[in-house]
Amino acid sequence: MISCLQEDKVRLQEELNTTESKQQGLGSTPQSQGTTDLEKHLEILVLENDRLKQELNGSQLRFQQFRASLPTCTDCEHSKENSRLREQMTVLQLELEEKTRQLSELEQHLKDVLQDRAEREERLNKRIRDCHLALAKQSTPGVKYMTKKMEVESSRMKQDLEEAQSRNHYLQEQIGIQRQLLTEQEQQLQDSWRASAQLQAQIMMYEAELEQAQGEMLTALQKMEDEKNQAIEEVFQHARSEMKIVHDNLNGVRMNLLSIQPALKTLTSDYNCLKNHVRDFPCLLQDAVSQTKKEIYQAVEEAKEINQDLLRKYKREMQLRKKCHNELVRLRGNIRVLCRVRPITREDGAGPDNRNVVSFDQDDDAVLYVSHRGKTSMFELDKVFQPYALQADIFREVQALITSCIDGYNVCIFAYGQTGSGKTYTMEGLPEDPGINQRALQHLFGEVAERSTDWDLTITVSMAEIYNETLRNLLAKDPSEKLEIKLSPDGSGQLYVPGLIQIRVQSVDDINKVFELGRVNRATDFTNVNERSSRSHALLIVSVTGINLTSGVRTTGKLNLVDLAGSERVGKSGAEGPRLREAQNINKSLLALGDVICALRSKQPYIPFRNSKLTYLLQDSLSGDSKTLMMVQVSPMEKNVNETICSLKFAQRVRSVELGAAGRRVENQHCSSRQECELESSLSAAQQGRHNSYPGGNIVGKSTAGKRRLVASSELNH
Ligand code: ADP
Ligand code: MG
């Protein structure tokens, strides 16, 4: 039994020794040695770490000093590199701190484990000692008990031992991990060391650059110092010489001062005197200003009175002018008949038919002669324009009429004559030499501008065409649309044309645009514009509305500029179909025009306005106070002589009626050539009952005026 116990003891002792030796093998000798290899290694690492930290701190310190000494350049390459390195260093430092913390934790843990193991060993030893004692006593029951106890305890101790072994194993693993961590930390430390070395190298480079810059600066400073000294020296020399001059001057001035003193005294007294004057000056000035103001007010008042007087006189003059103008127009007659003979142009050719048959009276510009079949007929009108007459001459004659349109009168200007006699030339003219239409509007613009201080005047234009007794709007989008003439629904008896476009014009450009539009629209249906224009009446209707700015009086004047269809007698030439219808319509409307004018001038109670579209449309502008001008166009050539005579007869008839109505002399005459003018017969018919016998006879010339039968209107009316 004892031997058995002893065997157990020996075995336990052996196991204990084995454990101890294993522990020694692992490098974990308890307290006797105090530090294991691991601990030593740890200590070395900690020391190394501290050293690195110190070096890093030192580098940082130097780096900060260097940075502080560097000029601030935020954008340069070095600064950027610097900040990047600094960031890296901060990251490394943080990592280092973390590792250090982990290391200290590990150390603490190791210490705890070692202490625990020492305590257990102590307990084990104590138990072995107890066993030894029990063995020594060797009492049988006690031994038995002890043996039993030992058996039990030895198994427990075994268990403890196994636990200690497994713990040892775990600790070994931990130590392995820690070693690995340490290696990584070493690696990181080396990296940070390398970064720090790079930083140091850069710092040194910067220091070198700084030193170089400092050196250059010092050299520059030295140079500047030298220059400064030299400049100071020069200035000093200069100042010294100037000082000398100033001294000399001062001496001179001192001398002068002595001589000036009496003059100064006089000046002082003068100054005091002036001061007194200045003190009194504001009062004097105020008086003068108020006096001048009074005089100015007085002058202004006088000027105002004079102005008002002038204005009164001006207005009176204006009224007189207007009165004179109206009187002039009245004296000329409300219907005037002029004649324009067109020149023979190159286009007319040079055949025997193109001989000139028209001649003029050198002393009377109202007379012209037409030679035909060996006889010469004389025609007297209000004025005759010879072929050389310019567009401006024509316009000068009609200008007064156009002006009266601004004064609120209605005016009609007709161009009458056979096709090719120059109607369109007179009314429209050429772009470089415009006719009545454009000149009239230009004249109106001038008048509008002249009267703009007293009047607000607006000019609008419409363009229309009467073809085959149909009225068409030449400014409309759809010119083929027919227009109707209607009685105004307001009961005023005025006529109006719904849909007739009116365009406001303010400049020659505006006029040209409107005319162009009218021209384009007129040409739409017909292949030949001239053909169309010879068979239709073209109307340019200009309305002038005005408001007097002081009195508020409103005026409306209308100017109708009409290029009539050709007056040639197409009906006689055996035309048929549409051509005949056109001819009939033209004849009808021209006859109606003649009838209306005759009826108007002979003051008949019934005026046949409704006999044609043309007279119906122009009703307002032909009746009442309106003024009419008929420009009869004739060709001077032999081949046109019949038409020329017809046109002139028509003109003369119209004029004779008007002259009769105005109480002026009229000349009765008849067709020498006995031409069968449809117009003539129509006019005769219109005058039937008033002067039944409208005897024919030779046309007498101006030279035979005394022989002419002059009849008063009253005579004509019987
Ligand atoms: P109408 O309109 O009566 O048919 P136009 O005005 O077309 O006649 O004139 C016919 C031709 O005669 C045109 O070539 C025109 O230029 C020319 N003509 C008419 N009158 C004159 C004139 N006073 N001076 C120069 N040429 C004229
Ligand atoms: Mg024409």
Side-chain angles (χ1 to χ4, degrees), residues 420-610:
S421 59
K423 296 184 296 296
T424 308
Y425 185 88
T426 295
M427 298 310 284
E428 289 180 19
L430 307 173
E432 65 276 13
D433 191 12
I436 292 175
N437 289 3
Q438 200 190 100
R439 284 171 197 265
L441 281 161
Q442 259 178 294
H443 177 68
L444 288 177
F445 292 149
E447 287 288 316
V448 166
E450 212 172 273
R451 300 181 187 201
S452 60
T453 44
D454 300 321
W455 288 87
D456 178 15
L457 291 156
T458 311
I459 302 175
T460 55
V461 295
S462 304
M463 279 181 86
E465 179 193 59
I466 298 173
Y467 174 69
N468 263 343
E469 285 302 276
T470 349
L471 182 63
R472 294 198 319 148
N473 186 359
L474 288 182
L475 300 181
K477 278 191 185 144
D478 176 16
S480 61
E481 191 190 328
K482 290 178 187 173
L483 295 179
E484 291 302 324
I485 304 161
K486 296 198 170 158
L487 252 171
S488 184
D490 60 9
S492 62
Q494 296 272 316
L495 293 172
Y496 82 111
V497 183
L500 183 67
I501 288 175
Q502 286 191 306
I503 297 177
R504 187 175 178 181
V505 286
Q506 284 169 301
S507 66
V508 177
D509 267 2
D510 293 351
I511 307 169
N512 289 337
K513 275 182 204 154
V514 171
F515 286 178
E516 187 52 37
L517 181 61
R519 223 168 280 144
V520 169
N521 279 343
R522 206 173 179 203
T524 47
D525 280 10
F526 267 69
T527 42
N528 183 342
V529 183
N530 279 338
E531 200 185 338
R532 167 75 175 231
S533 74
S534 70
R535 293 184 221 155
S536 65
H537 309 301
L539 293 102
L540 172 68
I541 304 160
V542 182
S543 301
V544 185
T545 50
I547 302 168
N548 189 299
L549 298 174
T550 39
S551 64
V553 168
R554 285 169 184 271
T555 60
T556 309
K558 212 187 253 179
L559 171 66
N560 301 279
L561 301 162
V562 191
D563 182 356
L564 290 167
S567 61
E568 58 272 14
R569 293 162 299 144
V570 185
K572 287 273 158 185
S573 60
E576 287 174 4
R579 191 84 179 86
L580 181 65
R581 198 173 143 241
E582 273 174 13
Q584 284 170 342
N585 278 325
I586 294 166
N587 285 342
K588 187 181 145 196
S589 60
L590 290 177
L591 287 172
L593 180 64
D595 290 348
V596 163
I597 292 172
C598 282
L600 277 169
R601 294 311 165 208
S602 55
K603 299 203 174 5
Q604 285 186 19
Y606 173 71
I607 316 288
F609 286 117
R610 281 174 173 261

